[in-house]
Amino acid sequence: MKGPKDGIIKASFSGCPVSDRSLFPDSHGMLLISVGQLYHENEKMLATFELIGRKFKHYTIMLADTLQRHNIKASMGITEEEAYQISKNSGDKWIEKYEVKANKYKNYLGIQRWDTYLNHPSFEIKKQIIEKAIQGDNSKLKTAIQYSVDEYILRGERANLPKRQITFLRQNCESYLIEECSIMLLLAEENFNFDIYPTSRNAAMETVYNLFIKSEIRKVLAPVSLRFKRYAQSLVL
């Protein structure tokens, strides 16, 4: 985790109450990885492993690699089959680079890949639940998905693209969110108490969590965010 010139990056938890953090030593954390995001690479990735390796009883990596085919297809203007292969290859490379580093911690239980759930026998059932929840003018989930799509379009320079291209981006982003929310319902049936990700959930995922998953009895995919800070080497010895 050393920086070449300017100290060391450390990760810490944010976006969750202290009462939740007290449960980490007896909990199973799911570390959700968005392949291609900078916070899931290099120093920040190693700092994340180190933090979760110390704090959780168990942790499993959920590698959202082939989910990215929607974004790849939209940004590159290629077929879904071509985008799928690119996303899968990126996932292969991420595993080759980081699994050994994750495996140094005794509480690490392994990697689950996106295709495991995309090909799950109940995936279509979960997708139908999400699609049904979207229907209707007053649907909370429909509003949340529209908000999340708008947020994606307004990010960067996308809002200045031609109208036809924006329509294409919207369609792919909506497909991305529906798939992500459908698989979230499958993950809720696994033994994951906390969902660990550097940033807060998008509006669509947060709505699905509140509508279908959140439990007062036990922690199921409760959200945990991360923050990263660089320290001078002398301060962390």
Side-chain angles (χ1 to χ4, degrees), residues 24-73:
F24 291 172
D26 295 312
S27 297
H28 189 173
M30 182 191 76
L31 177 58
L32 181 61
I33 300 294
S34 293
V35 176
Q37 291 289 352
L38 293 179
Y39 43 66
H40 285 147
E41 295 288 345
N42 302 321
E43 291 177 275
K44 289 183 178 179
M45 192 69 263
L46 299 186
T48 300
F49 290 152
E50 193 275 336
L51 176 67
I52 297 172
R54 285 190 293 110
K55 296 296 186 178
F56 278 85
K57 181 177 182 178
H58 304 295
Y59 83 93
T60 297
I61 290 174
M62 179 62 202
L63 191 68
D65 49 359
T66 51
L67 174 64
Q68 305 306 323
R69 72 190 186 281
H70 299 286
N71 290 335
I72 294 169
K73 175 186 173 183

Side-chain angles (χ1 to χ4, degrees), residues 118-169:
L118 197 59
N119 297 319
H120 193 284
S122 296
F123 170 73
E124 289 298 330
I125 296 172
K126 302 303 184 186
K127 187 177 179 181
Q128 288 171 14
I129 292 172
I130 296 299
E131 290 175 336
K132 185 176 180 180
I134 294 170
Q135 296 170 3
D137 294 335
N138 297 318
S139 165
K140 290 182 180 179
L141 184 53
K142 179 180 180 179
T143 301
I145 285 181
Q146 289 176 341
Y147 179 86
S148 297
V149 171
D150 289 342
E151 190 177 45
Y152 174 78
I153 296 298
L154 292 173
R155 205 179 302 151
E157 301 296 324
R158 298 186 187 99
N160 298 322
L161 293 171
K163 185 176 180 179
R164 182 177 178 182
Q165 192 168 353
I166 288 179
T167 299
F168 184 63
L169 287 175

Side-chain angles (χ1 to χ4, degrees), residues 71-215:
N71 290 335
I72 294 169
K73 175 186 173 183
S75 62
M76 298 180 66
I78 58 179
T79 67
E80 181 157 347
E81 291 75 16
E82 291 170 323
Y84 170 84
Q85 196 56 56
I86 291 172
S87 65
K88 180 132 183 343
N89 290 343
S90 295
D92 293 341
K93 291 177 182 177
W94 192 94
I95 291 173
E96 183 179 351
K97 184 176 181 181
Y98 290 109
E99 186 170 31
V100 171
K101 296 176 175 64
N103 200 37
K104 68 179 285 189
Y105 299 98
K106 293 181 180 179
N107 61 343
Y108 170 67
L109 298 183
I111 292 177
Q112 295 281 5
R113 297 188 73 164
W114 197 254
D115 277 2
T116 300
Y117 295 92
L118 197 59
N119 297 319
H120 193 284
S122 296
F123 170 73
E124 289 298 330
I125 296 172
K126 302 303 184 186
K127 187 177 179 181
Q128 288 171 14
I129 292 172
I130 296 299
E131 290 175 336
K132 185 176 180 180
I134 294 170
Q135 296 170 3
D137 294 335
N138 297 318
S139 165
K140 290 182 180 179
L141 184 53
K142 179 180 180 179
T143 301
I145 285 181
Q146 289 176 341
Y147 179 86
S148 297
V149 171
D150 289 342
E151 190 177 45
Y152 174 78
I153 296 298
L154 292 173
R155 205 179 302 151
E157 301 296 324
R158 298 186 187 99
N160 298 322
L161 293 171
K163 185 176 180 179
R164 182 177 178 182
Q165 192 168 353
I166 288 179
T167 299
F168 184 63
L169 287 175
R170 283 185 176 279
Q171 292 170 345
N172 281 277
C173 187
E174 185 172 325
S175 297
Y176 178 109
L177 291 167
I178 290 173
E179 181 174 302
E180 186 174 46
C181 291
S182 302
I183 287 182
M184 191 177 182
L185 294 183
L186 287 173
L187 293 172
E189 296 177 352
E190 302 282 2
N191 187 32
F192 300 130
N193 304 117
F194 292 94
D195 176 7
I196 308 157
Y197 194 78
T199 61
S200 58
R201 285 172 173 159
N202 59 51
M205 292 181 72
E206 183 64 20
T207 301
V208 167
Y209 175 73
N210 288 326
L211 286 175
F212 298 107
I213 298 172
K214 190 174 182 179
S215 171

